[in-house]
Amino acid sequence: MNAAIKNTMIAIFTFGGGIALLCLLTFIHINQGNVTIPLATVVEALFNPQDTLEHHTVRILRMPRAVMGIIAGGALAVSGVILQTVTKNPLSSASTLGIHSGTYFAVVVSTIFLPFSMFGNGIITAFLGGVLTFLFVYMLSGGSDATPVRMVLAGMIVTFLFSSLTSVLQIFYENETQGLFLWGSGTLIQNDWDGVKFSLPLIIAAVLVAFIFASKLDTLTLGDDVATALGQNVRTVKLITVLAAVLLTSVTVSVVGPIGFVGLVAPHLIKLIGYRAHVPLIIGSFLWGGNVLLLADVLARIIDPSFSELPVGAITALVGAPWLIWLVMRMKSSNSQDTGAIMAGKDSAKISLVKVLPALVLLIVVTLVVSLASGNYGFEPVLAYQAFFGDANEFIRNLIVDLRLPRALVALFSGAVLAVSGLIFQGVLRNPLADPSVIGITSGAGVGALMTMYWFSVSAVWIPLGAMVGALVFFLIVMALGAKAEFQPTVLALLGIGMSAFGSAFIQILVVQSDLGVASALTWLSGTTYAKGWAELLQYLIWPVILFVPLLAFYIKTLDVLSLGDDTAKGLGLRVVSVRFQMALIATLLAACSVAAVGSIGFVGLIAPHLARLLVGSVNQKLLPVTMLIGGALLVVADLFSRTLLAPNEIPSGILVALIGAPYFLWLMKKRAA
């Protein structure tokens, strides 16, 4: 009897309480806006409509937005339920598996190059993009053998890759993609009932498919072998339900944009209450998914009640990213320990520094010369020579000496600083996937820098300090969580990605509130060397190299001791915790200086140390100078191509590096899994 009463109370709370909360949030949501409408008028407009301006505002402008929030949140939540069951992965959702980024990229591509395919809000394009992205992530992570952490890690990196490609298109086709920036961050803005009328039938159809297959999904949770033994066609069930999940996602993306983490949070709320059977799980998730998204939109307009719209996707990410981190921490014990050697290179590499260093210096010098001589009119070495040693006119001299030269040097020093930061993080954490961008440090620095610029409105001199504070806060959080997870490499990378998502959401809010232009915002967020000069070089980059690199050269050998394992290092007299913290702190400060100078450029700290190991082995005293030079050369080359590849248009350097780094990260992750 007590158990029956308990179950009844749980059901009343879950479903009755959920409906009550949904009604409350709907009334609050409808009453929000630039013009306050009394609650009594809202009630009258809903139940006794009159031909008045207030009633039309409620019924035609505000009510569709609230209804769209409910059905979009519900659709994303049901999609999350299906994906978590089919992939046997509690971390799965449309956002964590990269489906959102794939649908968004497909819509942007079609908008620019195939506008005729955008009928029906581009649902066909979004659906195909979502299906292909899911298959891509599923295969990359190992298919049926994929672990939950590896699958989500692959999804997040695919998201980085598609986001970079999307940013390139939005920057170069700003007119064609006008209005897609806010939509691409997730927004419930509706000017009429068209969005609801379009999406509701498709969402109902996909949810009905989920209900029809609910019992089969219950069987699927027992394992593929058991389901097959019970006469179930596992492949057919997975195929149909995944298509339903992708349809739910693509419908919502085509109307309100990619809104992340709702499909992660809502199903887990219902599972935490105790429901496991899919019929109540689907109903409860739909209900609470609507609550989560509606609450996020209410909060967005409380935070920014002005005419400018705050992306609701940024608010859901602020909630969902910590939720992802919490889930990772919960399931860390089920993952195998992975504290092996950090290397993807050859310990037996025999190329000496005497050969490698001059070759890299020569490569950098040649690249710098080509960069100085290259512009909108092609390669002009004679003009570059005359600017330094001849009688070039003042305009050419200023162009090359005062614009191109300092910009190339900023790229050189930024790349070197990021590469060294990545080398230290990989050594300290014994993690080949560590990189300031992957573990959330650059995101934290970006938050700190933007807050300094737009919230505190102080002199630009304080921007590096803001970046350092932001990076330090994120670093301390990641290190604290990493210590609890025993610094397992893949878990730590996933924790960092969660922190990056949180930081990116915060940055998105700051960008909207500061009224930064779309192209400018995307360029800064992607990381760029555009318009960088002597000021950035002297204020942000020279002094970290002068201060920290000699210090690292003296202490770098401690990384070799750490690579032997904590117990061995302690036996050799090394104060492991103290050394790990001090070295990681230096790496954090280096990354922060780079962010203050050129924005959030990722993956340099991942690629450069690995390439260095392939050349000179794994001894860190050799790796330090080689890694610095490779990182500098990599970003100088990226800067050169960013100016010349599509001249006179310019691609942010960070996007070019990401287009190389994201596939490399996936390859490295797959190689380690093998």
Side-chain angles (χ1 to χ4, degrees):
M1 183 64 180
N2 290 335
I5 293 174
K6 180 181 178 182
N7 290 337
T8 302
M9 294 300 293
I10 290 174
I12 291 172
F13 168 76
T14 304
F15 302 104
I19 292 172
L21 179 60
L22 195 63
C23 292
L24 176 63
L25 288 173
T26 302
F27 274 109
I28 294 173
H29 189 277
I30 291 173
N31 200 41
Q32 286 182 305
N34 298 319
V35 177
T36 302
I37 299 175
L39 184 59
T41 306
V42 173
V43 174
E44 187 181 5
L46 293 178
F47 298 106
N48 186 26
Q50 305 292 327
D51 189 17
T52 65
L53 179 61
E54 290 85 356
H55 286 201
H56 286 306
T57 300
V58 170
R59 293 175 64 86
I60 298 175
L61 293 179
R62 298 188 180 179
M63 192 65 184
R65 179 169 180 157
V67 173
M68 195 65 237
I70 294 169
I71 62 176
L76 292 172
V78 174
S79 174
V81 170
I82 295 171
L83 292 172
Q84 287 164 24
T85 300
V86 170
T87 62
K88 301 181 181 65
N89 183 354
L91 304 178
S92 289
S93 72
S95 50
T96 55
L97 295 185
I99 297 173
H100 273 149
S101 64
T103 54
Y104 182 32
F105 175 67
V107 168
V108 171
V109 169
S110 297
T111 300
I112 297 170
F113 302 110
L114 303 168
F116 61 86
S117 67
M118 292 301 292
F119 60 89
N121 283 0
I123 180 62
I124 302 298
T125 298
F127 179 73
L128 291 175
V131 170
L132 293 174
T133 303
F134 174 79
L135 292 174
F136 184 47
V137 170
Y138 188 69
M139 297 305 296
L140 273 175
S141 57
S144 58
D145 297 326
T147 63
V149 171
R150 198 189 310 154
M151 185 176 290
V152 176
L153 204 55
M156 289 298 190
I157 300 303
V158 167
T159 297
F160 287 164
L161 180 60
F162 279 134
S163 296
S164 298
L165 292 170
T166 303
S167 295
V168 171
L169 293 175
Q170 285 183 284
I171 289 169
F172 287 113
Y173 296 93
E174 190 172 5
N175 292 331
E176 290 85 348
T177 59
Q178 193 171 14
L180 288 183
F181 180 69
L182 180 60
W183 174 84
S185 304
T187 178
L188 295 179
I189 294 175
Q190 301 292 305
N191 295 322
D192 49 38
W193 286 94
D194 287 349
V196 175
K197 290 177 181 177
F198 167 76
S199 59
L200 189 57
L202 294 170
I203 289 174
I204 290 173
V207 172
L208 282 176
V209 171
F211 275 123
I212 292 170
F213 282 82
S215 61
K216 297 183 184 297
L217 290 172
D218 289 336
T219 307
L220 209 58
T221 59
L222 303 174
D224 290 0
D225 294 338
V226 174
T228 303
L230 292 173
Q232 186 167 292
N233 190 327
V234 172
R235 288 187 177 181
T236 301
V237 171
K238 286 185 176 182
L239 176 62
I240 294 174
T241 52
V242 165
L243 289 176
V246 175
L247 178 61
L248 288 168
T249 301
S250 55
V251 169
T252 57
V253 169
S254 66
V255 178
V256 299
I259 298 174
F261 293 104
V262 175
L264 187 70
V265 174
H268 280 286
L269 284 175
I270 307 305
K271 290 177 182 178
L272 287 173
I273 292 171
Y275 289 101
R276 291 294 183 271
H278 277 77
V279 170
L281 192 56
I282 290 169
I283 297 172
S285 295
F286 191 98
L287 180 60
W288 283 90
N291 276 322
V292 168
L293 190 51
L294 213 55
L295 177 60
D297 203 37
V298 168
L299 291 175
R301 291 197 283 180
I302 290 174
I303 295 171
D304 186 4
S306 66
F307 285 96
S308 64
E309 278 286 342
L310 198 62
V312 68
I315 304 298
T316 59
L318 286 179
V319 177
W323 194 276
L324 172 64
I325 291 170
W326 177 72
L327 288 173
V328 172
M329 296 303 295
R330 276 191 71 193
M331 62 182 292
K332 70 180 188 299
S333 58
S334 65
N335 292 290
S336 60
Q337 300 291 320
D338 189 3
T339 56
I342 62 172
M343 207 25 272
K346 299 179 289 185
D347 291 336
S348 58
K350 297 298 183 183
I351 305 178
S352 67
L353 290 180
V354 177
K355 295 179 180 178
V356 172
L357 294 181
L360 289 173
V361 170
L362 179 62
L363 172 64
I364 290 172
V365 170
V366 170
T367 308
L368 285 173
V369 170
V370 173
S371 180
L372 294 177
S374 300
N376 294 345
Y377 299 103
F379 183 56
E380 299 173 311
V382 176
L383 280 179
Y385 178 84
Q386 290 176 347
F388 285 98
F389 308 108
D391 55 353
N393 62 52
E394 186 177 355
F395 173 78
I396 295 297
R397 185 177 292 107
N398 290 339
L399 175 67
I400 294 176
V401 177
D402 294 332
L403 294 178
R404 291 182 187 173
L405 177 61
R407 172 175 170 162
L409 292 176
V410 165
L412 177 66
F413 278 81
S414 293
V417 163
L418 284 173
V420 172
S421 180
L423 174 67
I424 297 171
F425 275 124
Q426 290 175 20
V428 165
L429 303 176
R430 294 202 300 276
N431 183 350
L433 306 180
D435 165 81
S437 60
V438 173
I439 63 174
I441 304 302
T442 55
S443 183
V447 170
L450 275 179
M451 285 183 68
T452 304
M453 283 189 278
Y454 296 112
W455 274 16
F456 301 113
S457 300
V458 296
S459 170
V461 176
W462 295 97
I463 292 175
L465 181 61
M468 288 179 188
V469 171
L472 186 60
V473 170
F474 275 50
F475 159 72
L476 291 174
I477 294 172
V478 171
M479 289 295 284
L481 294 171
K484 289 185 178 181
E486 300 175 3
F487 295 106
Q488 297 177 40
T490 50
V491 173
L492 188 64
L494 197 54
L495 291 174
I497 286 173
M499 289 299 297
S500 292
F502 181 83
S504 297
F506 209 90
I507 288 172
Q508 225 168 33
I509 293 172
L510 291 173
V511 165
V512 172
Q513 289 202 313
S514 63
D515 200 25
L516 193 62
V518 172
S520 301
L522 287 171
T523 300
W524 193 91
L525 292 172
S526 303
T528 180
T529 48
Y530 175 75
K532 304 303 178 183
W534 296 112
E536 287 80 11
L537 184 67
L538 297 174
Q539 291 176 16
Y540 308 143
L541 297 171
I542 291 289
W543 66 266
V545 172
I546 294 173
L547 183 63
F548 292 127
V549 171
L551 188 64
L552 286 172
F554 184 75
Y555 284 109
I556 195 74
K557 59 185 177 183
T558 57
L559 292 182
D560 293 325
V561 182
L562 279 177
S563 68
L564 301 175
D566 288 2
D567 293 337
T568 304
K570 289 176 183 176
L572 294 172
L574 190 69
R575 298 169 61 188
V576 172
V577 175
S578 176
V579 168
R580 177 173 279 136
F581 182 84
Q582 291 170 13
M583 297 288 281
L585 179 60
I586 292 174
T588 299
L589 295 176
L590 288 171
C593 291
S594 175
V595 171
V598 296
S600 303
I601 293 180
F603 295 109
V604 173
L606 177 74
I607 299 171
H610 284 296
L611 292 178
R613 289 189 187 93
L614 292 172
L615 293 174
V616 298
S618 58
V619 177
N620 283 285
Q621 286 174 303
K622 293 182 178 180
L623 284 174
L624 180 61
V626 176
T627 299
M628 281 187 65
L629 293 175
I630 290 177
L634 184 63
L635 203 51
V636 169
V637 171
D639 174 64
L640 170 62
F641 284 132
S642 75
R643 289 194 300 107
T644 58
L645 207 57
L646 296 175
N649 295 319
E650 184 160 328
I651 307 171
S653 306
I655 290 178
L656 286 178
V657 176
L659 293 178
I660 300 169
Y664 182 79
F665 187 101
L666 292 169
W667 171 82
L668 181 62
M669 189 179 71
K670 193 169 183 64
K671 181 178 179 181
R672 285 178 59 79

